[in-house]
């Protein structure tokens, strides 16, 4: 059964399904949905949890052995498979089909993937899982929808906000739902009589942190490596979460990569910005105000450099999620300095 994000909790309250597929490219909503499934599963007695990361040479036999290893007095268990690619391969497809043909009430399968396209949703491995479980496809919250999303989250916690306040928060977080959620938590502490107005938002100290994130990006584009080190140190000291910084860096690198490709095809920078803004959901007017900085970074780097930075962003993301080992802040620093013009350090190769 296909569910929207806002339908998931209602379904969980009625009855746990044996399989949940959480799919999407918006990390915050994916995390929230997975937390909901785990919460209701634990309340239903699923006290054990086994987590599998599907990479090259993943042992699907280990997953099936765990699924089939329960004895009469064993604990119920959550089998959590993190498969970003959405491609289990032949061995994984067979494992999923075998799993669904011998479902146990003591197992709950939680499959987490990046966004699955229509072809993947028609795959032989996917259809048996969806038939016995629930599929939650998560789409990014569009800019125009973000104030409504913010208002719904506040309302569910017993707060209300004026339209002006919601629009201002939406403008500040620029589509980053993790940053939005953290901003709302801080605003709730400042709210008077459970109400958040525009003045409350403007007085929020969270704005300084948000400004520094974007100051970090512009400083890197300008090539000021010394200032990059200082700003990143401030962000770390203030307790800003690494995913927010990574989101901002990766978003900028994807934009620069696309602009670089457009310029290599002979487009003028203004036209390239217009096309990239439309394709990626940026505000073209605001981008053109930063045209000088963008041009500096594009001139300084090759398309190959930007691809390397995107690969490095993926490495940092896996480190944040615990899939790979490494110091997240060291990797963020290396990525930032690479963008600012320094050669890539070994830590992000």
């Amino acid at each position: 059964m296909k569910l929207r994000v806002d339908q998931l909790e209602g379904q969980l309250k009625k009855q746990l399904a044996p399989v949940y597929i959480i799919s999407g490219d918006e990390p915050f909503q994916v995390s929230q949905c997975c937390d909901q499934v785990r919460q209701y599963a634990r309340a239903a007695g699923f006290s054990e949890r086994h987590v599998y990361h599907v990479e090259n040479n993943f042992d699907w036999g280990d997953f099936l052995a765990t699924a089939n290893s329960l004895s009469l007095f064993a604990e119920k268990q959550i089998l959590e498979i993190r498969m970003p690619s959405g491609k289990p391969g032949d061995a994984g497809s067979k494992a999923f089909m075998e799993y669904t043909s011998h479902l146990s009430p003591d197992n709950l399968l939680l499959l987490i993937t990046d966004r699955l396209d229509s072809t993947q949703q028609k795959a032989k491995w996917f259809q048996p899982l969806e038939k016995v479980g629930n599929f939650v496809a998560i789409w990014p919250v569009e800019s125009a929808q973000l104030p409504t999303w913010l208002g719904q989250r506040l309302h569910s916690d017993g707060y209300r906000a004026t339209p002006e306040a919601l629009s201002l928060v939406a403008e500040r977080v620029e589509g980053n739902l993790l940053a939005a959620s953290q901003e709302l938590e801080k605003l709730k502490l400042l709210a008077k009589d459970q109400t958040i107005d525009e003045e409350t938002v403007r007085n929020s100290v969270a704005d300084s942190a948000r400004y520094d994130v974007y100051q970090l990006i512009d400083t890197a584009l300008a090539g000021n490596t010394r200032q990059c080190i200082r700003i990143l140190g401030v962000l770390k000291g203030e307790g800003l979460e690494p995913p927010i910084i990574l989101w901002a860096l990766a978003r900028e690198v994807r934009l620069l990569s696309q602009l670089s490709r457009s310029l290599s095809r002979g487009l003028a920078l203004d036209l390239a910005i217009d096309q990239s803004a439309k394709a990626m959901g940026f505000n073209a007017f605001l981008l053109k105000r930063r045209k000088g900085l963008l041009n500096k970074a594009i001139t300084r780097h090759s398309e190959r450099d930007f691809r390397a930075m995107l690969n490095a962003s993926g490495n940092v993301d896996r480190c944040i999620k615990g899939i790979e080992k490494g110091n997240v802040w060291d990797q963020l620093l290396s990525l930032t300095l690479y963008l600012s013009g320094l050669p890539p350090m070994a830590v992000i190769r």
Side-chain angles (χ1 to χ4, degrees):
M1 178 188 298
K2 290 185 178 180
L3 298 174
R4 299 192 309 271
V5 172
D6 59 351
Q7 294 175 318
L8 176 59
E9 186 166 16
Q11 190 281 321
L12 287 166
K13 288 180 179 179
K14 291 180 181 178
Q15 182 180 6
L16 275 178
V19 175
Y20 287 88
I21 305 169
I22 310 296
S23 167
D25 296 330
E26 209 301 306
F28 179 78
Q29 290 192 96
V30 169
S31 176
Q32 292 281 293
C33 288
C34 291
D35 285 344
Q36 284 183 329
V37 173
R38 296 186 196 106
Q39 176 186 347
Y40 280 89
R42 284 194 294 268
F46 290 83
S47 55
E48 289 191 15
R49 178 179 170 220
H50 302 273
V51 180
Y52 302 91
H53 299 278
V54 178
E55 298 172 329
N56 292 336
N57 302 316
F58 176 72
D59 185 1
W60 288 98
D62 183 33
F63 157 67
L64 288 175
T66 304
N68 298 324
S69 65
L70 289 173
S71 66
L72 182 61
F73 302 103
E75 298 285 346
K76 292 182 178 182
Q77 56 187 2
I78 301 172
L79 303 173
E80 185 171 315
I81 296 182
R82 301 179 183 181
M83 187 176 68
S85 69
K87 298 177 180 178
D90 290 339
S93 297
K94 292 177 182 178
F96 283 137
M97 287 187 281
E98 180 178 340
Y99 180 85
T100 54
S101 66
H102 299 90
L103 289 174
S104 166
D106 294 322
N107 289 333
L108 185 147
L109 175 61
L110 175 58
L111 175 61
I112 307 167
T113 76
D114 290 345
R115 186 187 304 176
L116 298 176
D117 59 30
S118 57
T119 300
Q120 290 170 306
Q121 293 178 37
K122 296 175 183 176
K124 291 182 178 179
W125 66 267
F126 178 86
Q127 294 181 337
L129 292 176
E130 186 186 15
K131 186 176 181 180
V132 300
N134 290 309
F135 169 49
V136 183
I138 297 172
W139 299 92
V141 178
E142 300 296 335
S143 298
Q145 301 169 333
L146 187 52
T148 300
W149 184 87
L150 294 167
Q152 290 171 343
R153 288 190 65 85
L154 286 171
H155 180 73
S156 65
D157 292 334
Y159 290 81
R160 69 179 188 90
T162 63
E164 295 79 11
L166 294 174
S167 296
L168 186 55
V169 174
E171 177 187 340
R172 291 183 174 186
V173 299
E174 296 189 6
N176 185 333
L177 299 191
L178 177 57
S181 178
Q182 293 183 337
E183 183 83 351
L184 292 184
E185 292 303 313
K186 294 174 182 177
L187 287 170
K188 285 190 289 187
L189 296 175
L190 302 174
K192 298 177 181 178
D193 300 323
Q194 306 293 99
T195 300
I196 296 169
D197 57 17
E198 185 176 0
E199 183 181 0
T200 307
V201 178
R202 292 192 181 282
N203 290 336
S204 171
V205 295
D207 183 54
S208 63
R210 181 238 175 222
Y211 172 76
D212 282 343
V213 172
Y214 290 95
Q215 185 184 51
L216 175 69
I217 300 300
D218 285 351
T219 302
L221 296 185
N224 190 338
T225 57
R226 185 182 296 274
Q227 184 72 350
C228 284
I229 296 172
R230 189 191 72 79
I231 293 174
L232 195 62
V234 170
L235 296 179
K236 181 180 179 181
E238 291 179 345
L240 193 65
E241 294 293 335
I244 295 177
I245 301 171
L246 177 62
W247 168 82
L249 284 168
R251 184 172 182 257
E252 197 74 12
V253 171
R254 283 194 293 270
L255 170 65
L256 291 167
S257 179
Q258 184 154 325
L259 288 175
S260 179
R261 287 195 300 271
S262 296
L263 293 177
S264 69
R265 295 196 297 267
L267 287 183
L269 182 55
D270 280 352
L271 182 56
I273 288 176
D274 286 335
Q275 291 185 355
S276 297
K278 183 177 181 181
M280 300 180 65
F282 282 87
N283 184 307
F285 174 75
L286 293 179
L287 284 183
K288 288 179 180 178
R289 291 175 58 181
R290 303 171 59 237
K291 184 169 63 174
L293 289 173
L294 295 170
N295 192 49
K296 278 187 177 181
I298 294 169
T299 302
R300 190 166 57 237
H301 293 291
S302 66
E303 290 184 50
R304 182 179 179 181
D305 286 333
F306 292 128
R307 288 196 297 271
M309 291 180 209
L310 288 174
N311 289 333
S313 299
N315 293 337
V316 181
D317 182 58
R318 289 189 290 274
C319 186
I320 290 173
K321 294 176 179 176
I323 299 175
E324 293 184 2
K325 294 182 179 179
N327 186 299
V328 172
W329 287 101
D330 284 348
Q331 294 195 27
L332 285 172
L333 176 60
S334 296
L335 177 57
T336 303
L337 295 183
Y338 192 3
L339 180 59
S340 74
L342 288 185
M345 298 181 180
V347 70
I348 65 168
R349 283 177 184 166

